[in-house]
Amino acid sequence: MSYFDPWPIEKSGSLYRLLRVRAFRPFVAGGAFWQRLGLAKRRRWNTQQLRAYVRQSKPLEVTHLVSLLFLAGVAVYLGSNDDWLGVGVFTVLNVVANLYPLLVVRYNRHRVDNRLAKLDDAGEA
């Protein structure tokens, strides 16, 4: 099992429902919000593109994870200096810019993996 495999708490989808990840999905890059503004295109994905998405999502996830940990460290440092406004700002920034995008990437990748597995089982891939 690797880091990128779904964790037991993720498999049922209850974690994502609890954190309302689907409500955040339209606002990440290429999401429905940006499509409605005309800044991103909606497209149908073929099997090859889905496999490329799974492959390309992993470095993106690691980038958000490293950034999340860095900003959490900054918040801890600010807290140790009693800068509670800074802690609040960095925590909110971290949740919006890293935690939710990371969760969206994991959520989407697991959905795509499941779809690809069904296609493989059906012999369509």
Side-chain angles (χ1 to χ4, degrees):
M1 181 168 169
S2 80
Y3 164 80
F4 297 107
D5 293 336
W7 303 332
I9 193 169
E10 293 177 294
K11 288 183 181 179
S12 70
S14 59
L15 173 70
Y16 297 119
R17 281 190 296 280
L18 176 70
L19 297 175
R20 312 244 333 130
V21 169
R22 288 190 64 173
F24 192 83
R25 278 180 60 210
F27 301 102
V28 297
F33 174 78
W34 304 106
Q35 292 170 11
R36 280 189 226 113
L37 291 178
L39 300 174
K41 290 184 196 175
R42 179 159 173 80
R43 60 185 191 169
R44 296 198 58 79
W45 294 58
N46 63 34
T47 305
Q48 183 179 1
Q49 290 168 319
L50 290 173
R51 290 187 197 289
Y53 172 81
V54 169
R55 195 174 46 255
Q56 293 166 0
S57 69
K58 293 174 183 178
L60 179 63
E61 182 178 340
V62 169
T63 301
H64 278 292
L65 180 62
V66 169
S67 182
L68 178 110
L69 294 173
F70 175 77
L71 290 180
V74 171
V76 167
Y77 171 77
L78 293 173
S80 70
N81 290 319
D82 293 328
D83 181 1
W84 301 112
L85 177 63
V87 169
V89 168
F90 273 89
T91 300
V92 169
L93 175 66
N94 211 6
V95 167
V96 171
N98 290 308
L99 180 62
Y100 270 89
L102 187 142
L103 290 171
V104 168
V105 167
R106 289 190 67 85
Y107 174 79
N108 284 338
R109 186 176 59 247
H110 300 318
R111 286 178 52 239
V112 169
D113 274 339
N114 289 338
R115 185 172 173 190
L116 286 169
K118 287 178 186 174
L119 290 173
D120 288 342
D121 290 346
E124 295 178 27

